[in-house]
């Protein structure tokens, strides 16, 4: 395994975040969660099988695995887009089953592939939509939108009045991130946000994501199928396989101390892509 | 004996046999057909001719054309019809004898066609009033109607509304007549009279149905309605070849007066008896024949005729009808949109209603429009004319708008809906801020489809007295006047295109900018 410079550059951050995990100050906790999807005319599909996962306040955990391994289902449990069949999901000390889904989701930013911007709204309106729904005064919303667009390096002056169809893939994805941060949520869920981008744009966005992560105290769950991305962006990485978590640990843990053969094989198999 | 002589004999023989057949045509309404049947049976019974009766030939122009081309030898015509429609006489006369002599003379001179002596009946227009209304207002004569227009609901057949010898002439002949008649199919008028929905209507003075409804026939006290005496018209050539025909037909003269005609018509129309049986019974009761005739055969025919000049000539009136037409369509669309779009939202939010609402709308769409109109005017609280027309238009427009609303709302990219829910929008916000704006183009496409359908369906409004561009179409069909049909059909088609174009522009304007191409 050759360590790439870019990778090493961030390893200090991972160690710093380790402390928070040890505090056992869990912001997100999945407790023995099982999720079965009913399939008409066939046996249920078990998407998650008795999964436990703790994510500390301020920590970024990347969920990685093949498609169908359950990583996206795990993510969607947190903002109640999916309800568990068994077990419990706790966010900030409170079971999500007892929270109002709308109130819960407004405290949890949500970023999906391609940005999923609303094509009938301008970039500014997309970003400011939740502020408007929260009843913010227009001036405050406008200021917030400008601030957010600046942070994702899309000056409001140039971009606020554009429509999503006038953006490149990378720009749309940045707007998607800005929109998720509109209400400054303590938690952000990202579902393969950079999955469909070309490699160069993707690396730019990954770098920006690192910056973004530094300037807040956000807890993030980041689904990806790219091990390099997971190692670069996650404080810890959870490796999913057929509805179970094989190992949760720092990138170093997974690489140097794999829990079993499967983890070792997975890391070795995908190592060629790490760092490049 | 050469072969040539054999052939010559055969030719003579065939000609003789051919000349022996006598073809009676008849117009396609009860009395026309019945009189044709009486003529056919009587000639068959009293001459050696081989008689064929071609019933249901069509209207006046079809019979006239067939007669002139020798396709038929005889049919029963009315003096008033010959006067105005065949001879196209500009003046008018109320004198039955003068009218008869005039058309007889002109037919002989111009066409070598002979008018036989009339049957006696005068099947002219008559203004009928419901008895209760007539007694309340003391109406016995047409002039009694003057100044009473506001209190009376008048429905005239589209033909009567249009014809010079109908309403326009009547109004001019009785100054101060202030009825505001709407066009309505004759068959529907009687139902409407029975339901107390019509007070005044036009009828034929020998209509058998008049015996059945409690109506008063107003006296044409100032002699407006032209005489419509029925008589057989026969090709001169045929009469010369078979002089016995003249004798036979003259024995039918003045055997059928108005009351008799009414009773005979009634036996067919209400009693459901066959034409052949009623004709035979009549001839026997009068002692005119003793033996049986054959059952008549129907022979359909068509005609193509008519210039476009009607459209230009009537442009002012067509414009008014077009505006009325557009008004119905616009009102019906507005009502439907307010009804069907919320229903579409309901279907998306409550899937259990889906089958009932979409299925129901589809079933309505399959009902033939005329059947729906006939059904609607039978519903007591709907009544006639405008309301029924608008309800029918609304019912037809529901499906395209409802279906497109549902399709539009449901075909919104699920990723966007997921993102909207995931970021914390309430179901209502997801619907109105995401689904609806993204579906608006599809919904408007449904409105556009509904609009074009409505322009077409609205032409049928004329059948129930609601006017619109259907009025010249319906009238033209009755008068067998293609020009008049086109004078309604062409503007209706243009209107449909215009409505489609305008709604296309509206769709562009209403589509959110980010969604435009």
């Amino acid at each position: 395994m050759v360590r790439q410079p870019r990778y090493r550059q961030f390893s200090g951050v991972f160690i710093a975040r380790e402390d928070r995990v040890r505090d056992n100050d869990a912001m997100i906790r999945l407790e023995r969660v099982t999720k079965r999807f009913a399939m008409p005319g066939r046996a249920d599909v078990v998407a998650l099988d008795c999964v436990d996962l703790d994510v500390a306040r301020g920590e970024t955990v990347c969920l990685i695995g093949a498609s169908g391994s359950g990583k996206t289902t795990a993510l969607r449990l947190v903002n109640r887009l999916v309800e568990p069949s068994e077990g419990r999901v706790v966010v900030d000390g409170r079971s999500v089953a007892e929270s109002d889904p709308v109130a819960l989701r407004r405290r949890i930013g949500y970023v999906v592939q391609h940005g999923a911007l609303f094509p009938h709204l301008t970039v500014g309106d997309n970003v400011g939509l939740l502020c408007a729904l929260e009843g913010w005064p227009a001036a405050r919303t406008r200021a917030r939108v400008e601030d957010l667009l600046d942070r994702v390096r899309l000056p409001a002056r140039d971009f606020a009045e554009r429509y999503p169809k006038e953006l490149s893939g990378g720009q749309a994805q940045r707007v998607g991130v800005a929109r998720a941060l509109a209400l400054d949520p303590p938690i952000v869920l990202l579902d393969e946000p950079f999955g469909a981008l070309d490699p160069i744009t993707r690396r730019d966005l990954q770098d920006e994501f690192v910056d973004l992560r530094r300037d807040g105290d956000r807890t993030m769950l980041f689904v990806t199928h790219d091990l390099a991305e997971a190692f670069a962006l996650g404080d810890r990485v959870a490796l999913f396989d057929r509805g179970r978590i094989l190992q949760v640990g720092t990138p170093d843990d997974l690489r140097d101390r794999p829990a079993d053969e499967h983890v070792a094989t997975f890391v070795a198999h995908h190592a060629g892509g790490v760092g490049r | 004996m050469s072969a040539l002589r054999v052939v010559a004999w055969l030719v003579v023989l065939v000609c003789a046999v051919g000349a022996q057949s006598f073809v009676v045509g008849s117009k396609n309404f009860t009395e026309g057909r019945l009189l044709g049947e009486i003529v056919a049976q009587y000639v068959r019974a009293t001459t050696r001719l081989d008689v064929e009766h071609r019933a249901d030939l069509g209207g006046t122009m079809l019979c006239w054309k067939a007669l002139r081309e020798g396709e038929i030898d005889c049919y029963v015509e009315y003096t008033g019809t010959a006067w105005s429609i065949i001879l196209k006489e500009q003046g008018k006369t109320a004198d039955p004898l003068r009218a008869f002599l005039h058309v007889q003379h002109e037919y002989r001179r111009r066409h070598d066609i002979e008018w036989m002596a009339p049957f006696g009946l005068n099947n002219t227009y008559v203004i009928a009033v419901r008895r209760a209304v007539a007694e309340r207002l003391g109406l016995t004569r047409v002039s009694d109607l003057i100044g009473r227009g506001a209190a009376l609901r008048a429905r005239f057949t589209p033909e009567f509304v249009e014809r010079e010898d109908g309403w326009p002439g009547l109004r001019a002949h009785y100054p101060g007549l202030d009825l505001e008649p709407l066009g309505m199919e004759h068959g529907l008028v009687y139902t409407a009279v029975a339901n107390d929905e019509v007070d005044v209507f036009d009828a034929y003075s020998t209509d058998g149905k008049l015996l059945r409804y409690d109506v008063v026939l107003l006296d044409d006290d100032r002699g407006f309605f032209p005489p419509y005496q029925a008589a057989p018209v026969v090709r001169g050539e045929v009469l010369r070849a078979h002089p016995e025909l003249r004798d036979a037909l003259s024995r039918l003269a003045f055997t059928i007066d108005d009351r008799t005609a009414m009773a005979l018509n009634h036996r067919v129309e209400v009693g459901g008896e066959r034409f052949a049986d009623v004709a035979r019974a009549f001839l026997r009761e009068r002692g005119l024949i003793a033996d049986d005739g054959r059952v008549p055969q129907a022979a359909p025919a068509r005609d193509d005729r008519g210039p476009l000049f009607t459209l230009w000539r009537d442009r002012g009136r067509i414009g008014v009808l077009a505006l009325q037409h557009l008004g119905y369509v616009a009102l019906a669309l507005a009502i439907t949109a307010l009804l069907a779009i919320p229903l579409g939202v309901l279907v998306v939010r409550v899937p259990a209603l889906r089958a009932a609402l979409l299925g129901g709308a589809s079933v309505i769409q399959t009902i033939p429009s005329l059947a729906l109109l006939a059904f609607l005017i039978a519903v007591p609280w709907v009544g006639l004319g405008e309301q029924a027309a608008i309800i029918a238009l609304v019912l037809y427009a529901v499906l395209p708008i409802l279906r497109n609303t549902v399709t539009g709302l449901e075909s919104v990219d699920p990723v966007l809906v997921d993102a909207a829910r995931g970021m914390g929008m309430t179901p209502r916000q997801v619907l109105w801020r995401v689904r609806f704006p993204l579906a608006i183009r599809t919904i408007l496409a449904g409105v556009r489809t509904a609009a074009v359908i409505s322009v077409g369906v609205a032409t049928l409004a004329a059948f129930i007295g609601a006017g619109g561009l259907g009025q010249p179409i319906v009238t033209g069909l009755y008068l067998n006047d293609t020009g008049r049909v086109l004078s309604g059909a062409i503007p209706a088609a243009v209107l449909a295109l215009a409505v489609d174009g305008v709604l296309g522009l509206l769709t562009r304007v209403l589509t959110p900018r980010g969604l435009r191409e």
Side-chain angles (χ1 to χ4, degrees):
Chain A
M1 167 68 57
V2 180
R3 287 199 172 193
Q4 298 294 324
R6 201 170 71 85
Y7 178 67
R8 208 179 285 127
Q9 181 187 335
F10 298 121
S11 52
V13 177
F14 302 146
I15 292 156
R17 301 280 159 147
E18 280 287 285
D19 300 337
R20 299 177 194 276
V21 182
R22 288 194 206 100
D23 289 346
N24 203 17
D25 177 16
M27 187 65 169
I28 300 169
R29 170 177 289 181
L30 306 191
E31 293 175 0
R32 306 183 67 76
V33 170
T34 295
K35 177 62 189 177
R36 284 181 292 269
F37 288 105
M39 302 297 278
R42 282 192 285 145
D44 290 355
V45 169
V46 180
L48 287 177
D49 185 7
C50 204
V51 164
D52 287 298
L53 180 67
D54 275 15
V55 181
R57 199 176 295 278
E59 187 185 28
T60 296
V61 172
C62 288
L63 312 182
I64 189 162
S67 54
S69 60
K71 56 191 192 298
T72 294
T73 303
L75 184 88
R76 290 163 68 85
L77 283 164
V78 177
N79 64 357
R80 287 192 71 182
L81 288 174
V82 169
E83 301 287 352
S85 306
E86 284 166 33
R88 201 161 78 111
V89 179
V90 180
V91 169
D92 204 9
R94 195 169 163 211
S95 167
V96 295
E98 291 151 20
S99 1
D100 170 57
V102 171
L104 175 75
R105 289 168 189 160
R106 293 211 177 160
R107 294 180 54 237
I108 302 177
Y110 186 50
V111 182
V112 298
Q113 214 171 51
H114 302 297
L117 302 181
F118 301 123
H120 58 295
L121 300 178
T122 61
V123 166
D125 289 343
N126 263 284
V127 175
L129 181 57
L130 279 181
C131 305
L133 293 182
E134 286 283 321
W136 288 22
R140 186 180 167 205
T141 300
R142 203 174 321 117
R144 178 71 179 154
V145 168
E146 281 176 23
D147 179 42
L148 287 165
L149 286 177
D150 283 345
R151 281 172 67 185
V152 297
R153 300 176 196 172
L154 298 170
R157 185 179 65 253
D158 298 333
F159 287 91
E161 295 307 314
R162 289 200 198 179
Y163 282 93
K165 64 177 179 182
E166 298 162 324
L167 301 178
S168 70
Q171 289 167 340
Q173 196 58 70
R174 286 190 177 104
V175 176
V177 171
R179 184 176 68 181
L181 299 178
L183 297 180
D184 201 12
I187 297 172
V188 178
L189 308 176
L190 304 100
D191 191 359
E192 301 211 30
F194 310 143
L197 302 175
D198 64 88
I200 294 171
T201 309
R202 187 176 183 145
R203 197 171 309 166
D204 284 348
L205 279 163
Q206 286 169 352
D207 288 346
E208 286 172 26
F209 180 78
V210 171
D211 293 347
L212 204 64
R213 209 182 53 169
R214 267 201 210 116
D215 66 21
D217 196 23
R218 289 196 181 84
T219 308
M220 306 214 235
L221 276 184
F222 190 116
V223 166
T224 178
H225 60 261
D226 178 350
L227 190 66
E229 189 168 85
F231 279 9
L233 303 180
D235 295 323
R236 288 188 301 151
V237 176
L239 177 55
F240 280 71
D241 182 53
R242 278 168 284 178
R244 290 171 176 275
I245 294 180
L246 298 183
Q247 185 172 4
V248 190
T250 63
D252 287 334
D253 288 339
L254 264 73
R255 196 173 44 244
D256 301 338
R257 294 173 287 282
D260 58 23
E261 266 312 291
H262 290 295
V263 178
T265 311
F266 186 90
V267 172
H269 188 73
H270 290 83
V274 175
R276 258 170 300 272
Chain B
M1 176 91 32
S2 71
L4 197 65
R5 283 185 73 180
V6 173
V7 171
W9 272 111
L10 277 175
V11 168
V12 169
L13 194 67
V14 166
C15 287
V17 169
Q20 296 248 299
S21 91
F22 182 66
V23 183
V24 180
S26 59
K27 299 198 196 182
N28 61 354
F29 64 97
T30 308
E31 191 176 86
R33 191 166 161 180
L34 194 54
L35 293 174
E37 182 63 23
I38 287 171
V39 167
Q41 286 196 15
Y42 190 67
V43 171
R44 187 180 295 134
T46 57
T47 70
R48 290 166 179 277
L49 293 169
D50 186 13
V51 179
E52 182 192 347
H53 180 201
R54 292 184 56 189
D56 281 355
L57 202 55
T60 299
M61 292 316 296
L62 291 177
C63 285
W64 173 239
K65 185 166 175 263
L67 185 70
R68 287 187 63 197
E69 291 175 1
E71 202 182 332
I72 58 175
D73 300 309
C74 164
Y75 75 97
V76 174
E77 187 52 283
Y78 295 84
T79 52
T81 309
W83 179 282
S84 60
I85 297 198
I86 307 293
L87 299 175
K88 298 186 168 29
E89 296 292 356
Q90 293 305 310
K92 59 188 250 31
T93 176
D95 181 347
L97 183 58
R98 273 192 55 200
F100 181 80
L101 292 175
H102 179 78
V103 298
Q104 188 178 46
H105 178 73
E106 287 302 314
Y107 264 62
R108 185 181 295 151
R109 188 172 67 82
R110 297 193 210 172
H111 304 296
D112 187 24
I113 289 171
E114 283 293 317
W115 279 77
M116 301 288 100
F119 289 108
L121 64 95
N122 180 17
N123 184 0
T124 189
Y125 285 118
V126 63
I127 301 297
V129 182
R130 270 199 305 132
R131 185 175 298 282
V133 175
E135 284 172 0
R136 181 158 48 82
L137 301 177
L139 307 174
T140 58
R141 303 168 304 172
V142 174
S143 53
D144 292 338
L145 290 172
I146 290 170
R148 301 292 198 154
L152 297 168
R153 292 164 297 176
R155 293 289 185 281
F156 295 156
T157 55
E159 183 177 352
F160 187 77
V161 172
E162 299 288 330
R163 282 172 68 140
E164 238 345 273
D165 57 1
W167 168 244
L170 185 70
R171 188 174 43 184
H173 198 79
Y174 288 85
L177 207 51
D178 57 348
L179 296 173
E180 288 181 6
L182 293 170
M184 185 175 195
E185 231 274 274
H186 197 65
L188 302 174
V189 165
Y190 286 105
T191 317
V193 168
N195 290 345
D196 289 359
E197 288 167 347
V198 164
D199 302 313
V200 181
F201 62 103
D202 66 298
Y204 297 118
S205 52
T206 58
D207 191 339
K209 291 194 220 56
L210 289 172
L211 291 174
R212 212 175 133 202
Y213 295 91
D214 204 11
V215 295
V216 171
L217 305 184
L218 300 184
D219 181 25
D220 180 16
D221 53 322
R222 293 186 195 164
F224 167 73
F225 288 119
Y228 279 82
Q229 289 192 296
V233 289
V234 188
R235 298 196 297 128
E237 196 187 327
V238 176
L239 276 178
R240 285 190 292 280
H242 303 285
E244 71 274 24
L245 269 173
R246 190 180 286 275
D247 300 333
L249 292 173
S250 61
R251 284 195 293 274
L252 290 175
F254 300 101
T255 53
I256 307 172
D257 62 12
D258 285 3
R259 292 297 296 185
T260 309
M262 217 184 265
L264 293 178
N265 291 335
H266 191 262
R267 283 175 70 172
V268 173
E269 281 180 1
V270 183
E273 294 185 62
R274 298 195 310 171
F275 287 96
D277 296 341
V278 174
R280 192 178 308 120
F282 164 77
L283 289 169
R284 282 188 182 157
E285 280 158 23
R286 289 291 162 121
L288 290 164
I289 59 161
D291 60 342
D292 290 345
R294 281 176 305 179
V295 177
Q297 305 279 315
R302 288 233 166 270
D303 181 37
D304 290 304
R305 200 178 52 80
L308 275 173
F309 82 102
T310 320
L311 178 56
W312 179 247
R313 187 190 65 199
D314 296 346
R315 58 192 181 278
R317 205 171 47 88
I318 299 285
V320 172
L321 291 176
L323 279 180
Q324 189 182 25
H325 202 95
L326 199 59
Y328 288 145
V329 171
L331 181 58
L333 274 188
I335 294 171
T336 314
L338 289 177
L339 197 76
I341 294 175
L343 278 180
V345 171
L346 196 65
V347 166
V348 173
R349 296 194 69 164
V350 189
L353 294 174
R354 186 191 189 89
L357 287 175
L358 278 177
S362 302
V363 167
I364 291 172
Q365 201 79 7
T366 64
I367 301 174
S369 18
L370 268 181
L372 184 66
L373 288 170
F375 171 75
L376 283 175
I377 65 161
V379 177
W381 49 265
V382 172
L384 287 169
E386 299 182 358
Q387 290 117 294
I390 285 168
I391 290 173
L393 288 177
V394 167
L395 288 173
Y396 276 108
V398 164
L399 181 66
I401 298 182
L402 178 62
R403 193 180 45 203
N404 277 41
T405 304
V406 173
T407 308
L409 292 175
E410 286 183 344
S411 61
V412 169
D413 187 350
V415 171
L416 294 180
V417 176
D418 189 66
R421 289 179 62 215
M423 65 193 273
M425 291 170 80
T426 63
R428 185 182 293 268
Q429 288 163 348
V430 172
L431 177 66
W432 292 111
R433 294 193 175 245
V434 178
R435 283 188 192 269
F436 201 78
L438 292 176
I440 193 81
R441 252 193 313 192
T442 311
I443 294 173
L444 288 172
V447 173
R448 213 166 144 185
T449 307
V452 174
I453 290 175
S454 296
V455 172
V457 173
T459 55
L460 297 174
F463 278 105
I464 53 168
L469 286 171
Q471 197 155 305
I473 296 178
V474 172
T475 311
L477 290 175
Y478 274 90
L479 299 180
N480 201 20
D481 180 347
T482 313
R484 198 181 287 271
V485 171
L486 290 176
S487 78
I490 291 172
V494 171
L495 198 62
L497 289 173
V499 164
D500 190 50
V502 168
L503 286 177
L505 281 177
L506 191 69
T507 305
R508 265 196 71 77
V509 172
L510 289 182
T511 302
R513 247 184 59 207
L515 299 178
R516 291 180 207 162
E517 261 86 53

